[in-house]
Structure formats: structure tokens, C-alpha cells
Amino acid sequence: MLPTGSLALPLLASIALAAVLSWLGVFVVMKKMSFIADGIAHASLAGVALGVLFHADPLYTALAFSLGVGVVIYYLERRTTLPVDTIITLLFTASLAVGILLMSREGGDVEALEKSLFGDAAAIGWSEVVTVAVLALGEVLFLTRYYQRLALMIFDRASAYVAGIRVERLQLGFYLALVVAIVLGIKIFGVLLVGALMVIPASAAKLVSRSFHGAIALSAIFSILIVGSGMPLAYAFDLPASAVVVLTGVILFTFMMGVSRFVFARRS
Amino acid sequence: MSVKTPAAIDAHHLTVRFGRETVLDDVTFSLARGEIVAVIGPNGSGKTTLLQAVLGLQPYEGIIRVFGKPVRETLGRIGYVPQRFAFDRTFPLTVGEFLRLRGAKPKHRDWRQAVLAEVNLTGGESQPVGELSGGELQRLLIANALMGEPELLLLDEPTAGVDVAGERGFYELVAHLHRSHQMTVLMVSHDLAMVARQATKIICLNRELVCFGPPAQAIAPDVLRQLYGEGAHIAAHHPH
């Protein structure tokens, strides 16, 4: 399906992105909102459709549209009493419906829809690698500066506020960081599977870590392992990369569940 | 001419509404520095709302001043212990990591250890938070509040879910901190017997201010009836 010679660029971009997704995933798992990754990914389909319709790069139209969705999630969470999962469901189904309508227009690009749904690692070129590298670096800088405050805000918003943390700005920053990482991930892993790269490494790390820093480090290591082994495997056997990567992650998660049971059984 | 020191908390005609519902109606009180004040009242009487308004977490009508200033300007002088910490017990986080989450004011290891010793948490910084008992977790939350060296400590039903022995120890710790740090304490509590022993003043709420003053004067039978209905009385905890 993909020539072996083209593995380097997709692998480079995928590993960088997977590490960022896995770090954000620690907070998503901590906040018990694993659903948000799928929600934002599905919502971005409307942005992809707009790109196809107006002959613009779908990556950038999806990014712009999804950043808008992130701001709306933040605004509705602050200004209404709706639970965040309800807000995300409303927005992602509405955006998905808009995306399907736009895609279904005469001359709608079914191929672009398929690539968005399942990912298109083979299409990763230098321009995508540079985009991923710049945005991933921005995410890493954001997380390095704010990860402790983010954790406190997620544990108890009032405590974070009293500690002098500007919780509203931080919340918005967190949502926008999530959106950027997820939309970048769609290009490689697809709408349907990008959420796994956010949730599986973090959940596996949570099973076997005893500290917050340990969980962050292990989550990144697991994500690199999953992508670093899954993608070459897909290329070697001519299989869809995103599906193999996700299944590799599921195998690792299952293994870590066994490890955690063994470790905790010995401790108790 | 002497300059009057601003009160720790001044609330004037404080009113909080949730939509059309008035949760706190025209509450006025003033807490001097160094007092330990308990807020009592039945469920839904506005106790937590009062604390949230003082912290600026709840929109309100009226005036609230903390150390003579709007609360936003004095957050660095306030410590807060929440009613319930939405902490996923299975999430990996050590005691030391938890105390470092505040980020803005990194404190040295010695300071963290001194604070942990003060709240009698002896398991060490590497102990996972998920392994703490309910009482230990509440003491960790107090330690977290103390990390910023507060002059005012706000506690919102801090012993909810803690057993009787843990509850007694917790209030003794609060009294000790109050004495040793000369800090002002404002705490919401359901435990009238503890409140009567530890507090210098009591604020009785039932959506409005029912009483305010020293426990001996404030917890009168007619006040208890007004707060909790007929048959209400203070039951003392006996050591087992």
C-alpha cells in the first residue's frame, strides 16, 4: 500500500505528534473526559469539508474550524450549566452533520472524506513535518510551563483559583492545545482513530505508575513505542498504518493491565 | 492618631441569587484578624455559597472586602480547603508532587517537609495520594493551603467523609494552626459540638443571617430551632 522508502517522514511526524498527544492524554484521562478527543476529531470534519469545497488545504481549514469549536466548548462550559460531555456531543454531532452535508454536495470529494476518517500517513511531506514540528514544539512549551497548574485546576478548580492560577485562561489554553494536537493527528491517524493515541498511552501509564511525573514519562514512552513499532509493521505488511498503530496500542494496554495486576497483587 | 487595621473579612449587605432564587439575603458581618469563625446552618442554607462569594467564585450583590481590599488582590494571603476534592484515587500522584502543583511559588523541600510535619502527615513525600485515608487526605489539603503561608484560612466542610476520630483530630489541628500562625480561620461545619469548643464566633445561616457572635451567645435554643427545627440540640462526641 505504501512504499517502504517513504516511511521516514511519516514516522518522524507521527512520533513527535504521538508524544504530544500522549502528554495531553494524561490530563484528559485525569479529567475523565476521554470522549473529548473523539468529539473534536469528528467536529473537525466540517472544517475538512470546507477545505475541500473551497479548494484550500483541509488541514488548515480543519484547524481553524476546530479552534472555533474549542472556543465554543470553553464558552458554553463557563456560561451554561450543561455538562461538558453534553456540550461536546452537541457540537460534534452538529459539526459532523454540517461536514456530511457539505461532502455530499454534487462533486463532493469522497476520497478526501475517507482520508480524513482513516488517516493518510503516506501523504506526509516536508511541509506537514514542518507544520507538525512547529505546532508540537508550541504544545511542548505550553505543557512544560503549565502542566502542574493544569493538574491542580483539573483536581479542584477553586483551589487552583485561590492559588493564584488564572483558571479561565488556562482552561481555554488547554482546550486549544487539545484541538491543535487532535487536528494534526487526524492527518496521520484519521478522525476515527486519533483519540486512541491520546487515551491508550496515558491509560496504560496510569495503570503502572506511582507518580504524576512517572505517568507523563511512561505515557510518552508508550506512545513512541506504539507508533515506532506499529508504523513500520504496517509498511512492512502493506496494511493501513493508523489501524495497525491503534491495535499495537491495544496490545500494549492489555499487557500493562496484566503487569499492573501482577505488581499490585505482589504489593498487597 | 491610630490607623485602624482592616478586618480580615468585611461583608456588607451580601446577596447571592441563582436565577430567581435568593440563596443568601442581605448578610452583613465582619471578622477581626485572628478569629476562628464557624459557619453553621442546615443543608441548602448558603454556607458554601458564602465561602464562594468571599473567594470571588460566586457573583454577588453588596460589598466584600478581604483585608480591606477586593479578594482578587488578596488571593496570595488566603488558603482554601475544599469540601470535596474531585480526586481520582487511582490517579498516580505523590504527596510531594501534589504540594508542588501550585507552581507559582516553588518552595524548598525543607518547607514542604515542615508543613507535612505540622499537619502530622508522616508517610513522606513519595507516598501516593491515593493511599491516604480520608482524614490524611484532608490534612494534605490543609498542608496544600499552608504552602502559601496564608493569613486567612477558609475551610468548606473539611471533615465530610472523615470518621469521628479523624474529625476530632482535624479540628484540633485547625485550632493548633490558628494559635501557632495567628491566622484567621473561617470554616463551614455541620458539627455543632466541635464548633462550640473551637470557634471564637459563629455565623448561623439559613439563607439569611440568623445569628452572629460567640458560641455561648449565638447557639441559643431558639436559634437552633430556627436553623434545624424542633428538637435540635448539641450532642457531644464521647471518646470510644
Side-chain angles (χ1 to χ4, degrees):
Chain A
M1 198 173 280
L2 295 166
T4 308
S6 66
L7 176 63
L9 285 183
L11 192 59
L12 193 68
S14 303
I15 285 179
L17 198 55
V20 171
L21 282 167
S22 70
W23 195 351
L24 286 165
V26 171
F27 298 101
V28 165
V29 169
M30 186 190 274
K31 200 167 162 49
K32 295 185 177 174
M33 56 185 296
S34 303
F35 181 57
I36 195 169
D38 282 333
I40 290 171
H42 283 76
S44 72
L45 265 183
V48 171
L50 285 170
V52 170
L53 207 64
F54 294 107
H55 307 291
D57 187 335
L59 174 65
Y60 298 112
T61 50
L63 201 53
F65 185 86
S66 303
L67 284 171
V69 170
V71 172
V72 175
I73 292 173
Y74 162 77
Y75 182 82
L76 290 178
E77 198 183 1
R78 273 185 67 201
R79 296 299 171 108
T80 69
T81 54
L82 291 170
V84 71
D85 61 338
T86 305
I87 294 170
I88 292 167
T89 305
L90 281 171
L91 286 172
F92 109 62
T93 48
S95 303
L96 192 58
V98 169
I100 291 167
L101 278 179
L102 291 174
M103 292 274 195
S104 69
R105 283 169 59 96
E106 198 175 341
D109 192 339
V110 177
E111 194 187 342
L113 177 64
E114 276 183 8
K115 284 178 178 173
S116 299
L117 287 176
F118 303 110
D120 187 18
I124 299 291
W126 275 111
S127 68
E128 281 84 7
V129 170
V130 171
T131 305
V132 167
V134 169
L135 291 174
L137 182 66
E139 300 248 359
V140 168
L141 291 175
F142 170 78
L143 287 171
T144 304
R145 185 170 168 79
Y146 294 109
Y147 75 101
Q148 289 179 308
R149 283 173 253 189
L150 257 176
L152 185 57
M153 182 184 76
I154 289 169
F155 285 141
D156 189 69
R157 200 179 166 86
S159 295
Y161 164 82
V162 175
I165 296 168
R166 296 178 177 231
V167 287
E168 285 168 3
R169 281 190 199 178
L170 191 59
Q171 179 92 13
L172 181 60
F174 177 55
Y175 283 157
L176 297 185
L178 280 178
V179 165
V180 170
I182 290 166
V183 174
L184 288 177
I186 288 170
K187 179 77 181 174
I188 302 170
F189 305 111
V191 164
L192 298 179
L193 299 174
V194 66
L197 265 295
M198 186 166 268
V199 174
I200 291 175
S203 301
K206 183 186 165 200
L207 286 173
V208 290
S209 303
R210 275 174 72 83
S211 72
F212 180 47
H213 288 98
I216 290 172
L218 266 185
S219 183
I221 291 168
F222 288 162
S223 73
I224 291 167
L225 268 178
I226 291 166
V227 174
S229 58
M231 283 194 82
L233 210 64
Y235 275 60
F237 292 96
D238 198 20
L239 297 166
S242 55
V244 177
V245 165
V246 170
L247 288 176
T248 311
V250 172
I251 291 167
L252 181 129
F253 179 80
T254 310
F255 177 71
M256 285 304 151
M257 265 182 81
V259 170
S260 73
R261 288 190 174 200
F262 176 72
V263 170
F264 289 122
R266 278 176 67 102
R267 274 185 201 152
S268 58
Chain B
M1 193 176 80
S2 66
V3 179
K4 194 183 170 193
T5 310
I9 301 174
D10 255 324
H12 292 280
H13 305 294
L14 171 64
T15 298
V16 178
R17 299 180 213 279
F18 293 162
R20 290 180 185 173
E21 192 182 2
T22 302
V23 182
L24 280 178
D25 190 16
D26 198 23
V27 173
T28 296
F29 63 88
S30 179
L31 305 189
R33 293 181 192 217
E35 286 194 295
I36 178 163
V37 180
V39 185
I40 63 168
N43 289 335
S45 61
K47 304 184 296 294
T48 294
T49 305
L50 175 72
L51 244 64
Q52 289 181 338
V54 169
L55 286 169
L57 289 166
Q58 190 67 56
Y60 59 84
E61 297 161 28
I63 297 169
I64 299 177
R65 289 283 181 270
V66 177
F67 300 120
K69 295 176 181 170
V71 69
R72 271 227 169 252
E73 295 173 26
T74 55
L75 281 177
R77 299 163 72 178
I78 300 174
Y80 171 67
V81 179
Q83 179 179 25
R84 212 172 285 110
F85 209 62
F87 179 74
D88 174 3
R89 287 266 180 162
T90 64
F91 197 87
L93 179 75
T94 65
V95 165
E97 285 176 327
F98 177 70
L99 294 180
R100 289 196 297 269
L101 291 183
R102 300 165 65 90
K105 275 187 186 176
K107 294 284 182 185
H108 295 301
R109 192 159 181 242
D110 291 349
W111 171 247
R112 282 198 304 276
Q113 290 186 337
V115 168
L116 287 173
E118 183 149 35
V119 300
N120 201 23
L121 268 181
T122 53
E125 285 193 53
S126 59
Q127 188 178 15
V129 176
E131 291 179 4
L132 299 177
S133 68
E136 286 172 330
L137 182 60
Q138 286 309 110
R139 280 185 273 143
L140 176 62
L141 295 182
I142 283 219
N144 185 49
L146 293 177
M147 289 300 290
E149 298 174 79
E151 296 166 52
L152 171 63
L153 188 61
L154 301 181
L155 305 102
D156 187 2
E157 286 192 47
T159 56
V162 177
D163 61 29
V164 173
E167 194 175 10
R168 192 165 48 239
F170 185 86
Y171 283 114
E172 282 165 6
L173 171 64
V174 171
H176 159 74
L177 293 171
H178 167 246
R179 281 192 304 272
S180 59
H181 296 263
Q182 282 93 44
M183 63 173 73
T184 311
V185 177
L186 178 64
M187 61 179 175
V188 170
S189 180
H190 273 302
D191 190 334
L192 295 183
M194 291 288 181
V195 160
R197 276 206 302 276
Q198 308 284 8
T200 54
K201 278 192 183 153
I202 288 181
I203 294 172
C204 317
L205 283 182
N206 202 354
R207 299 204 167 202
E208 59 184 7
L209 193 66
V210 177
C211 75
F212 177 53
Q217 293 169 24
I219 310 184
D222 61 319
V223 170
L224 290 179
R225 270 197 302 277
Q226 205 174 337
L227 288 175
Y228 301 105
E230 292 296 331
H233 64 281
I234 298 177
H237 289 302
H238 297 290
H240 297 287

